[in-house]
Every structure is written in structure tokens, then in C-alpha cells.
Amino acid sequence: MFRLPWRRRQGASQLFPALAGSSIVQQPSAETLTRLVLQGSQAVHTPQAKTTPAMPSLGWKLSDEQVAAVLTYVRNSWGNAAPSVGASDIGAQR
């Protein structure tokens, strides 16, 4: 079974948002999360924030079914409640 460490679901101040209770995680469409997993993301470097946290792209590594399973898990764990994600939803965004 896939499990995220406790710290990941709570986030890390100024670096990574919490997954628990996140409005992006729980919105009706999983499009934003799908794009984050498939394409990755990197924060902007500024003089005040020299660390640029990033999420690597996983689209090259994970199948549509795997991405759908991870997103469905995240969207329905730690008190979150959102529609499940299908492999066809992921394929439509590739």
C-alpha cells in the first residue's frame, strides 16, 4: 500500500504545502494535481527565498493507472474527500 510520510501530508513551512485539507487536492477536478505530477513544478528564486523547492516531473516514469491511483489516494486521505481519478483522466492530459 502506498503511504506518504506524516511530514508530507502536513507540508513544510515555506517549502511544500500541506496535502491534508488542501483546497487544490479536494477540488472537483484533479487537473491541477495531474499537471503537477506529470510536469512537475519549481518555485521561483528570489533574494529573500534563495531555496527553490521543486517537485520533479513523474510523467516519464508513471503510467496513467499509477498516477490515477496516487491522486485518488491523496484526494481521499487525511480527511480529504474528492472524486476518484481515472486513468482516462490522466491520459487526456498527457
Side-chain angles (χ1 to χ4, degrees):
M1 178 179 192
F2 178 79
R3 291 194 185 268
L4 287 175
W6 180 83
R7 296 181 119 156
R8 298 291 184 258
R9 45 190 135 147
Q10 296 303 317
S13 180
Q14 306 295 318
L15 293 175
F16 302 106
L19 297 176
S22 168
S23 60
I24 291 174
V25 169
Q26 297 182 82
Q27 64 188 353
S29 169
E31 184 175 341
T32 300
L33 290 179
T34 300
R35 291 191 186 282
L36 285 170
V37 172
L38 295 179
Q39 300 172 5
S41 178
Q42 183 161 2
V44 177
H45 175 272
T46 67
Q48 295 80 22
K50 296 181 190 305
T51 301
T52 57
M55 165 138 175
S57 165
L58 298 173
W60 66 275
K61 177 109 174 139
L62 300 178
S63 69
D64 293 350
E65 292 79 12
Q66 290 171 318
V67 173
V70 168
L71 293 183
T72 296
Y73 176 81
V74 168
R75 287 166 54 86
N76 289 284
S77 297
W78 318 299
N80 294 331
S84 58
V85 181
S88 62
D89 300 322
I90 306 305
Q93 289 189 50
R94 276 203 195 257

